[in-house]
């Protein structure tokens, strides 16, 4: 980076700000250009990185060029390059450059989108973006919601709204006064934020969540759900909500949302869909039928910082009844001026002060457009299907669960003679050893998982830079690892 003189931090003139911005922009542009070649995993350890950044509280100012230089010299090289095309990881995307710069613009305006008064345009833009997400899901005109710092907090927000809607007494009195214990239902494949949210809501992360079995495809068993709710009601529990998943974390599978919606209707349960990852697939005309039933949800979690390629944070909670969020969260704030006909986003969720996260999504959705976003999602699903076909064609690898989105859960089963001589637990540990060997090379990132009771290897196409050649390279590495171990 070039090193212009450091401005007074509290009194920068326009030339100082411009120089700072140019230097940062220069680095960002170079970083995007180099991403394809960078190793995914940095060569560091917790001890090394903690030691490098341990430093006393700064008493005196440092020139900002030195800070940017240190960022380039020490921070970036010790960073995990999840936007890499060889990151086949969790649901962390490569951010779109437009969204990276939108974050800087939003920070410059520093709107507080908790209060309309402090964010007129930002509130209007968040309202529009929420409308777009509701339209994608097929929710009715009265639906509404808010952006959240991610899918976990969207789930917490959604489940709080569900509890408040089904048991309004809990809004003021909590769960103390209830005669029957409220419980929610989710499959064994649900994301950890579901039990965590139940814990935060006072239901208990274990006692508050009833685990519904899944079928061999990892989809929630709706008949079992119906039986469990009947038995639990007879036993004195108070079932109030069922969670369907669109894009299981371990394998990307989509639950039978329409059948869950039927059950929720028959059993008078709130229907929450955790579509944190897969909701991006709703932008594709070809993929949308896989989500049939999502339009019947009472609440939906979406995470634009997954398939929309937003930098963190950008999650969303949507509710069919657009007032449900306000009923759960509205609180008195005598010090904030009231404005008729405004939307006060702090009343729709957990946060008071809220960032202008909508700007990046608003800009990106206009820049890319729904169709191109949709085609991109299709392309990633096709790459994943092709990866699975190619890896399994010799019979020594298998696909553990169906490929509904851009995640493949695969397993090495060994050559037939081999497979017979190895026990199941030996094969399980082999999956972990294959992953460890691939990670040790630092060039790719994949992860182990357990789904439908089977130890597997999870490979996800999430970076928009990933091409077939990157997956071919991974297949070679997986085969070599399996042959060597
Ligand atoms: C199904 C599902 N729900 C929720 C989340 C949580 O999202 P976040 O990491 O944004 O909190 C994830 C994250 O991977 C997920 O896979």
């Amino acid at each position: 980076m070039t090193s212009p003189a450091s401005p007074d931090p509290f009194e920068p003139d326009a030339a100082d700000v411009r120089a700072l911005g140019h230097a940062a922009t220069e680095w960002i542009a170079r970083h995007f250009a180099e991403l394809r070649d960078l190793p995914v995993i940095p060569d560091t350890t917790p001890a090394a990185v903690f030691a490098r950044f341990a430093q006393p509280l700064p008493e005196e100012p440092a020139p900002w060029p030195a800070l940017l230089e240190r960022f380039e010299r020490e921070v970036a090289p010790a960073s995990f390059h999840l936007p890499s095309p060889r990151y086949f990881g969790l649901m962390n995307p490569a951010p779109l450059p437009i969204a990276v710069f939108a974050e800087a613009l939003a920070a410059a305006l520093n709107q507080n989108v908790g209060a309309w008064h402090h964010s007129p345009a930002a509130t209007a833009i968040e309202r529009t973006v929420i409308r777009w997400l509701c339209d994608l899901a097929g929710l009715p005109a009265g639906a509404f919601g808010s952006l959240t710092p991610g899918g976990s907090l969207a789930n917490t927000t959604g489940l709080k709204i569900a509890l408040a809607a089904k048991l309004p007494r809990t809004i003021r009195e909590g769960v103390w006064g209830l005669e029957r214990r409220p419980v929610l239902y989710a499959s064994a494949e649900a994301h950890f934020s579901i039990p965590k949210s139940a814990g935060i809501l006072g239901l208990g992360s274990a006692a508050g969540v009833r685990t519904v079995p899944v079928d061999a495809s990892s989809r929630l068993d709706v008949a079992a759900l119906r039986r469990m709710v009947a038995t639990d009601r007879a036993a004195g529990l108070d079932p109030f909500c069922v969670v369907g998943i669109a894009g299981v974390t371990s394998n990307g599978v989509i639950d039978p949302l329409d059948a869950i919606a039927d059950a929720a209707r028959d059993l008078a349960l709130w229907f929450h869909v955790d579509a944190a990852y897969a909701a991006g697939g709703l932008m594709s005309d070809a993929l949308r039928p896989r989500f049939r039933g999502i339009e019947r949800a009472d609440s939906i979690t979406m995470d634009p910082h997954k398939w929309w390629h937003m930098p963190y944070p950008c999650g969303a909670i949507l509710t069919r009844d657009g007032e449900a969020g306000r009923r759960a969260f509205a609180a008195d704030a005598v010090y904030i001026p009231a404005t008729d006909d405004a939307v006060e986003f702090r009343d729709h969720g957990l946060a008071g002060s809220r960032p202008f996260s909508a700007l990046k999504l608003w800009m990106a959705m206009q820049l890319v457009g729904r169709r191109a976003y949709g085609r991109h999602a299709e392309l990633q699903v096709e790459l994943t299907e092709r990866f699975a076909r190619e890896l399994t064609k010799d019979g020594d690898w298998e696909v553990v669960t169906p490929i509904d989105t851009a995640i493949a859960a695969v397993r090495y089963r060994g050559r037939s003679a081999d497979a017979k001589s190895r026990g199941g637990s030996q094969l399980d540990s082999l999956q972990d050893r294959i992953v460890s060997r691939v990670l040790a090379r630092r060039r790719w990132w994949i992860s182990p998982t357990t789904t439908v009771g089977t130890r597997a290897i999870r490979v996800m196409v999430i970076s928009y830079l990933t091409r077939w050649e990157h997956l071919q390279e991974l297949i070679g590495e997986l085969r070599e690892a399996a042959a060597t171990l």
Side-chain angles (χ1 to χ4, degrees):
M1 272 175 214
T2 50
S3 302
S6 198
D8 180 332
F10 296 112
E11 243 179 298
D13 61 30
D16 293 332
V17 176
R18 198 167 290 121
L20 178 60
H22 281 163
T25 302
E26 179 53 35
W27 184 86
I28 291 170
R30 200 148 25 87
H31 177 65
F32 273 104
E34 288 170 355
L35 259 177
R36 284 179 180 78
D37 302 316
L38 291 171
V40 178
I41 304 171
D43 188 10
T44 192
T45 60
V49 82
F50 291 153
R52 183 168 288 277
F53 294 107
Q55 62 189 86
L57 176 72
E59 292 287 343
E60 301 301 333
W64 70 255
L67 300 178
L68 288 191
E69 275 159 24
R70 191 164 177 217
F71 170 84
E72 186 170 3
R73 202 178 55 249
E74 296 182 19
V75 180
S79 294
F80 183 90
H81 292 305
L82 51 85
S84 160
R86 283 168 277 98
Y87 172 70
F88 302 110
L90 301 173
M91 291 141 171
N92 306 293
L96 292 170
I98 184 83
V100 172
F101 288 106
E103 282 291 74
L105 297 173
L109 283 176
N110 203 28
Q111 301 295 280
N112 187 335
V113 198
W116 178 86
H117 219 266
H118 280 38
S119 59
T123 294
I125 288 172
E126 181 162 340
R127 187 169 170 271
T128 295
V129 163
I130 289 293
R131 186 64 250 158
W132 290 345
L133 299 182
C134 289
D135 286 347
L136 280 173
L139 291 178
F144 195 50
S146 62
L147 294 184
T148 66
S152 297
L153 286 184
N155 280 336
T156 308
T157 311
L159 295 179
K160 163 70 185 168
I161 293 171
L163 187 65
K166 286 292 183 188
L167 295 160
R169 213 176 133 181
T170 59
I171 298 172
R172 291 182 66 84
E173 293 175 25
V175 292
W176 301 108
L178 300 174
E179 277 160 27
R180 294 180 305 145
R181 189 151 59 73
V183 285
L184 63 91
Y185 295 76
S187 89
E189 303 273 354
H191 185 258
F192 65 74
S193 57
I194 299 296
K196 202 170 178 177
S197 300
I200 291 166
L201 295 178
L203 309 177
S205 60
V209 182
R210 304 283 288 131
T211 302
V212 185
V214 292
D215 65 16
S217 300
S218 120
R219 301 186 212 280
L220 183 137
D221 178 342
V222 183
L225 167 73
R226 287 177 180 272
R227 282 195 302 275
M228 284 174 73
V229 171
T231 310
D232 288 349
R233 281 203 169 122
L237 297 177
D238 191 3
F240 74 98
C241 174
V242 58
V243 178
I245 312 168
V248 166
T249 314
S250 277
N251 55 34
V253 161
I254 300 176
D255 270 338
L257 301 178
D258 210 36
I260 301 176
D262 286 342
R265 178 202 57 210
D266 296 346
L267 300 166
L269 300 175
W270 181 277
F271 179 29
H272 176 73
V273 176
D274 181 356
Y277 156 57
L282 290 165
M283 291 186 281
S284 150
D285 295 331
L287 299 176
R288 196 176 312 114
R290 301 181 187 190
F291 296 80
R292 198 160 60 85
I294 195 170
E295 70 287 351
R296 299 172 64 193
D298 293 301
S299 55
I300 304 174
T301 284
M302 293 188 181
D303 233 357
H305 67 208
K306 294 185 169 37
W307 229 350
W308 270 263
H309 310 290
M310 290 298 103
Y312 295 112
C314 197
I317 181 70
L318 312 175
T319 53
R320 162 176 299 280
D321 172 355
E323 283 299 297
R326 232 163 52 76
R327 281 196 290 274
F329 287 107
D332 289 340
V334 288
Y335 29 78
I336 301 177
T339 312
D340 289 343
D341 302 330
V343 173
E344 303 291 350
F345 271 111
R346 70 181 177 284
D347 286 344
H348 289 264
L350 295 160
S353 296
R354 302 175 71 257
F356 189 6
S357 295
L359 184 67
K360 57 192 169 194
L361 187 55
W362 183 69
M363 286 188 171
M365 287 190 80
Q366 292 174 85
L367 183 80
V368 179
R370 198 242 340 144
R371 282 179 213 281
Y373 256 129
R375 275 197 302 278
H376 195 77
E378 287 161 25
L379 186 78
Q380 294 198 328
V381 176
E382 282 160 23
L383 281 175
T384 309
E385 288 166 343
R386 189 173 172 192
F387 161 81
R389 267 198 315 275
E390 179 68 21
L391 182 71
T392 57
K393 72 176 185 203
D394 297 337
D396 45 359
W397 287 82
E398 64 183 335
V399 177
V400 177
T401 44
I403 297 174
D404 285 352
T405 54
I407 304 175
V410 295
R411 177 174 163 94
Y412 180 67
R413 45 210 291 254
R415 296 201 184 84
S416 48
D418 231 36
K420 285 196 190 91
S421 64
R422 292 193 214 237
S425 66
Q426 250 187 314
L427 270 180
D428 284 352
S429 81
L430 185 55
Q431 316 304 316
D432 287 2
R433 282 185 288 127
I434 292 171
V435 171
S436 300
R437 200 190 110 121
V438 172
L439 297 187
R441 305 279 299 273
R442 303 199 294 112
R443 189 171 167 73
W444 307 272
W445 200 89
I446 55 173
S447 52
T449 192
T450 299
T451 181
V452 290
T454 305
R455 200 66 181 150
I457 297 175
R458 184 185 176 287
V459 176
M460 172 174 201
V461 178
I462 184 71
S463 168
Y464 57 75
L465 300 171
T466 300
R467 301 286 175 271
W468 175 237
E469 78 219 38
H470 302 114
L471 286 157
Q472 271 180 308
E473 208 191 84
L474 177 67
I475 289 171
E477 179 63 19
L478 285 170
R479 289 212 171 110
E480 199 183 310
T484 317
L485 292 167

